Amino acid sequence: MSELKFKTNINCDSCIKSVKPFLDEVVGENNWKVDTSDEKKILTVTTSEDEEDVVEAVTDAGFKIRKLEN
């Protein structure tokens, strides 16, 4: 399992509810969180899946996402 971080435009509880079924399907419930208090709206994911799978899930939910470099 690795921890991946992404900048997103998921910025409120309603947005989180919208993306939840997509991320839960790809990485599992409780394996991701969005820090909506950070201006970059950081999505942190703990997964063994490829980062492309996470990007696709968030994009399919209608949000923008970009991997943060360490």
Side-chain angles (χ1 to χ4, degrees), residues 25-52:
E25 182 177 332
V26 172
V27 299
E29 195 171 359
N30 300 319
N31 288 323
W32 62 274
K33 64 181 176 187
V34 179
D35 183 357
T36 57
S37 65
D38 186 299
E39 71 177 37
K40 293 181 180 177
K41 311 305 180 202
I42 303 298
L43 166 65
T44 304
V45 179
T46 304
T47 184
S48 58
E49 300 296 323
D50 290 332
E51 70 181 66
E52 291 82 15

Side-chain angles (χ1 to χ4, degrees), residues 8-22:
T8 71
N9 65 338
I10 301 168
N11 59 17
C12 65
D13 288 342
S14 181
C15 296
I16 291 171
K17 287 177 187 172
S18 295
V19 77
K20 182 177 181 4
F22 294 88

Side-chain angles (χ1 to χ4, degrees), residues 49-67:
E49 300 296 323
D50 290 332
E51 70 181 66
E52 291 82 15
D53 295 333
V54 176
V55 170
E56 183 177 346
V58 173
T59 303
D60 287 350
F63 296 95
K64 295 179 183 177
I65 182 170
R66 187 180 85 223
K67 181 135 183 347

